[in-house]
Amino acid sequence: MNSIRSALHHPQFRAGMKEMSGVSLGIAAWGLVTGVAMVKAGLSVPLALFMSLTVFAGSAQLAAVPLMAVGAPMWVIWATALCVNLRFVIFSAQWRPFFMRYPLRKRLALGYFTADLNYVLFMKRFREPRDDEGQLEYFFGGTVVNWSAWQFPSIVGILLADVIPTHWGLGFAGVLALLGLAYSMLSDRATAFAAVVAGAAAVAAFALPFRLHIVVAIAAAVCVGLMIDGGGDAGRKVRDVLLGAAGRRRRSGIAREGVAA
């Protein structure tokens, strides 16, 4: 109890809440849309509530619900959700040096609360693991806002789905909110290039059944990312184009210093 009280009063906890609050409106809008979409797709209210509270992954929920509504095979639903959430494997690998010292029970809780914007804001603030910077407190400060901003509007959408008119355009509002969240995560040209490739792949494969164009888009983005990070000559050429002349000059300068040394 004392540890919880001290965490709540830690300056980094308040910092995490403040920074996450800046994007909470977009998260809330998308949570409301997701809650309405789950019930409109045919899920019962108890099942939709259970899914929202246990899955806590909006993109996976929105990808799985239409497949469930059309009676897609279970393996397709599981494969789609898995592909949509593959990015969390990367997030976990990046977070591991920060949180590996904690017991398994606490790490499982951290894994449940992991979210895209938690990752983005955390990595912008902390460059390396340190015990004296309140990194765990900052994580939970952002988590409190992120989880609440998603779950409460989602529950409202689930409970009031039958009385919320479809002509309100919530679907379009949710798309705009998601675009805003996605834009905030485009940190460099390489990420933007992968996003463009994923979008083009999704449009090209839109005619596939069971919304498999989502899986195609994710696979395309992953392939582009792997090629840029370590894809040999082709990857280096793409990386050079995206980084521009400044990046090339910086790398050449480092190489000359190494030779001189």
Side-chain angles (χ1 to χ4, degrees), residues 91-92 94-104 106-108 110-111 114 118 122-123 126 129-130 134-140:
F91 295 168
S92 299
Q94 294 293 321
W95 258 319
R96 186 175 185 273
F98 294 88
F99 299 141
M100 62 183 298
R101 64 181 181 274
Y102 297 110
L104 177 61
K106 181 173 289 188
R107 282 183 280 130
L108 289 175
L110 292 171
T114 296
N118 289 89
F122 186 96
M123 290 303 170
F126 302 110
R130 289 177 62 93
Q135 294 173 347
L136 184 64
E137 289 79 4
Y138 178 87
F139 177 92
F140 278 120

Side-chain angles (χ1 to χ4, degrees), residues 3-255:
S3 61
I4 296 176
R5 187 179 296 109
S6 62
L8 293 177
H9 290 86
H10 197 283
Q12 290 290 6
F13 183 88
R14 294 192 294 272
M17 292 185 65
K18 181 178 179 180
E19 293 189 5
M20 186 59 68
S21 297
V23 295
S24 60
L25 289 179
I27 297 172
W30 195 240
L32 178 65
V33 171
T34 302
V36 174
M38 286 192 290
V39 177
K40 295 288 187 183
L43 269 67
S44 65
V45 170
L47 181 58
L49 290 172
F50 177 79
M51 185 177 187
S52 179
L53 293 171
T54 57
V55 176
F56 186 42
S59 54
Q61 291 171 234
L62 289 175
V65 165
L67 299 177
M68 297 168 65
V70 299
M74 185 59 67
W75 71 268
V76 174
I77 298 174
W78 279 101
T80 301
L82 176 63
C83 290
V84 170
N85 282 339
L86 278 177
R87 67 192 186 280
F88 288 106
V89 176
I90 301 174
F91 295 168
S92 299
Q94 294 293 321
W95 258 319
R96 186 175 185 273
F98 294 88
F99 299 141
M100 62 183 298
R101 64 181 181 274
Y102 297 110
L104 177 61
R105 187 174 181 179
K106 181 173 289 188
R107 282 183 280 130
L108 289 175
L110 292 171
Y112 168 76
F113 287 112
T114 296
D116 299 270
L117 291 178
N118 289 89
Y119 171 79
V120 173
L121 296 177
F122 186 96
M123 290 303 170
K124 283 184 178 180
R125 191 174 185 90
F126 302 110
R127 299 297 182 183
E128 60 183 15
R130 289 177 62 93
D131 295 334
D132 58 345
E133 290 190 357
Q135 294 173 347
L136 184 64
E137 289 79 4
Y138 178 87
F139 177 92
F140 278 120
T143 292
V144 168
V145 176
N146 183 69
W147 189 90
S148 301
W150 175 267
Q151 293 293 358
F152 290 126
S154 181
I155 292 172
V156 169
I158 292 170
L159 298 178
L160 302 181
D162 293 333
V163 299
I164 296 178
T166 55
H167 64 264
W168 279 9
L170 288 176
F172 183 65
V175 171
L176 292 179
L178 185 61
L179 287 175
L181 297 179
Y183 180 76
S184 67
M185 299 177 67
L186 300 180
S187 57
D188 50 38
R189 292 183 179 180
T191 307
F193 180 67
V196 170
V197 171
V203 173
F206 188 76
L208 291 176
F210 303 130
R211 296 184 180 256
L212 290 175
H213 63 286
I214 299 175
V215 179
V216 173
I218 295 169
V222 170
C223 289
V224 169
L226 291 175
M227 182 185 70
I228 293 175
D229 285 340
D233 293 337
R236 282 192 294 272
K237 290 179 181 178
V238 174
R239 188 164 58 247
D240 287 342
V241 171
L242 295 174
L243 292 176
R248 291 195 295 271
R249 287 196 298 269
R250 183 169 59 254
R251 289 195 300 274
S252 62
I254 294 174

